[in-house]
């Protein structure tokens, strides 16, 4: 069952700005991030609170976009108890009724790595990630201090691996870190299915929220997140009802 985390002492919590770098969402823009001190041994303790402040994890780095003159990245989360799937999401569940969900410790397998590399080659060709191997897999998806799980989606019967949703587990929530799936099965909406199954998981364990990372208005790869209602968005101070249609 989810419980409200107790906030650790923040007297010496340190935050840093990264240098400027190319934006991962809009390549023509320059980005900058705010990060928690990656050497702080309390990162695991701080992480649940950082999620509530609009931060996100990538490997061992806990960051939040903090770009000059741009606030396009909006942290969003699903209120699990109030979520009701829409017609399209119900069709996705029906279309994948025979898909089995299995939750495992976050340990790389050859089968997962092969699927990950196929996914990157299809979805991120030429973007730098398509050269990832086992080392990058572990550094990007697992990290050294986070408590995370691999939610596998498999075809019932022969057990073919269809998708993996890398999910962080904290006291009161789950956080969807990254999902990769069979690029030849785009018509199955496996990314949507992974979120729906993470919601089921969170609800079963009585966790209040599923964090989805950042929504960006007008970005085709981020638009799907607004369809999970009711959605909450972080405005820099508080979480409020997401109002974009």
């Amino acid at each position: 069952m989810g419980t409200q985390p107790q906030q650790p002492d923040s007297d010496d919590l340190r935050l840093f700005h990264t240098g400027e770098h190319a934006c991962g969402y809009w390549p023509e823009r320059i980005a900058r991030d705010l990060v928690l001190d990656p050497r702080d041994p309390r990162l695991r303790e701080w992480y649940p609170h950082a999620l509530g402040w609009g931060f996100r994890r990538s490997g061992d780095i806990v960051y939040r976009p903090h770009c000059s003159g741009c606030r396009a990245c909006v942290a969003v989360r699903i209120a699990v108890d109030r979520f009701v799937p829409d017609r399209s999401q119900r069709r996705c569940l029906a279309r994948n009724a025979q898909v089995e969900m299995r939750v495992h410790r976050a340990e790389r397998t050859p089968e997962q790595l092969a699927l990950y590399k196929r996914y990157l080659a299809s979805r991120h060709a030429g973007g730098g990630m398509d050269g990832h191997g086992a080392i990058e897999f572990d550094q990007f998806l697992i990290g050294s201090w986070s408590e995370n799980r691999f939610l596998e989606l498999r075809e019932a019967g022969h057990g073919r691996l269809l998708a993996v949703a890398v999910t962080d587990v904290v006291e009161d929530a789950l956080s969807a870190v990254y999902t990769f799936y069979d690029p030849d099965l785009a018509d199955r909406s496996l990314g949507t299915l992974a979120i729906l199954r993470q919601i089921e998981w969170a609800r079963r364990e009585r966790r209040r929220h599923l964090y989805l990372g950042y929504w960006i208005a007008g970005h085709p790869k981020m638009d799907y997140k607004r369809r999970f209602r009711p959605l909450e968005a972080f405005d820099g101070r508080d979480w409020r009802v997401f109002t974009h249609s």
Side-chain angles (χ1 to χ4, degrees), residues 68-122:
S68 177
C70 179
R71 295 294 180 267
C73 294
V74 178
V76 292
R77 68 187 186 186
I78 298 168
V80 169
D81 285 346
R82 293 182 287 129
F83 172 76
V84 178
D86 62 18
R87 182 182 301 176
S88 174
Q89 291 159 353
R90 291 195 299 271
R91 286 199 299 265
C92 175
L93 287 170
R95 188 163 57 247
N96 294 286
Q98 300 304 310
V99 174
E100 298 177 345
M101 179 180 85
R102 304 175 186 176
V103 177
H104 301 277
R105 292 180 60 184
E107 295 179 346
R108 167 180 41 84
T109 68
E111 186 182 26
Q112 292 167 354
L113 179 60
L115 181 61
Y116 178 66
K117 294 173 74 171
R118 285 184 56 218
Y119 175 81
L120 293 182
S122 174

Side-chain angles (χ1 to χ4, degrees), residues 134-207:
I135 294 174
E136 291 82 5
F137 182 104
D138 292 350
Q139 290 175 339
F140 174 45
L141 300 178
I142 301 176
S144 64
W145 55 261
S146 57
E147 182 181 351
N148 57 357
R149 301 288 185 271
F150 287 168
L151 185 157
E152 291 186 343
L153 299 179
R154 290 183 176 273
E155 201 79 76
H158 53 73
R160 179 167 60 115
L161 182 63
L162 304 177
V164 178
V166 182
T167 310
D168 282 348
V169 180
V170 299
E171 289 91 337
D172 202 34
L174 299 178
S175 179
V177 175
Y178 195 77
T179 298
F180 55 95
Y181 52 83
D182 190 328
D184 296 331
L185 300 176
D187 59 330
R188 299 281 294 272
S189 301
L190 294 172
T192 294
L193 179 64
I195 294 177
L196 292 170
R197 293 295 177 85
Q198 286 171 307
I199 293 171
E200 292 175 15
W201 175 12
R203 183 172 286 162
R204 185 171 61 248
E205 296 191 353
R206 300 183 183 179
R207 300 181 189 273

Side-chain angles (χ1 to χ4, degrees), residues 6-78:
Q6 196 71 25
Q7 183 165 308
D9 181 18
S10 62
D11 287 347
D12 57 349
L13 176 67
R14 295 194 297 175
L15 296 153
F16 298 97
H17 278 114
T18 67
E20 293 184 341
H21 56 88
C23 176
Y25 302 109
W26 304 110
E28 70 278 6
R29 300 183 187 181
I30 298 298
R32 200 177 182 197
D33 299 315
L34 190 66
V35 301
L36 296 184
D37 184 354
R39 297 164 297 183
D40 194 317
R42 302 165 301 168
L43 270 181
R44 184 167 178 164
E45 297 176 68
W46 274 111
Y47 183 47
H49 306 284
L51 286 171
W53 303 330
F55 283 74
R56 185 157 181 76
R57 181 183 72 83
S58 177
D60 286 339
I61 303 299
V62 180
Y63 74 97
R64 185 173 77 186
H66 195 76
C67 308
S68 177
C70 179
R71 295 294 180 267
C73 294
V74 178
V76 292
R77 68 187 186 186
I78 298 168

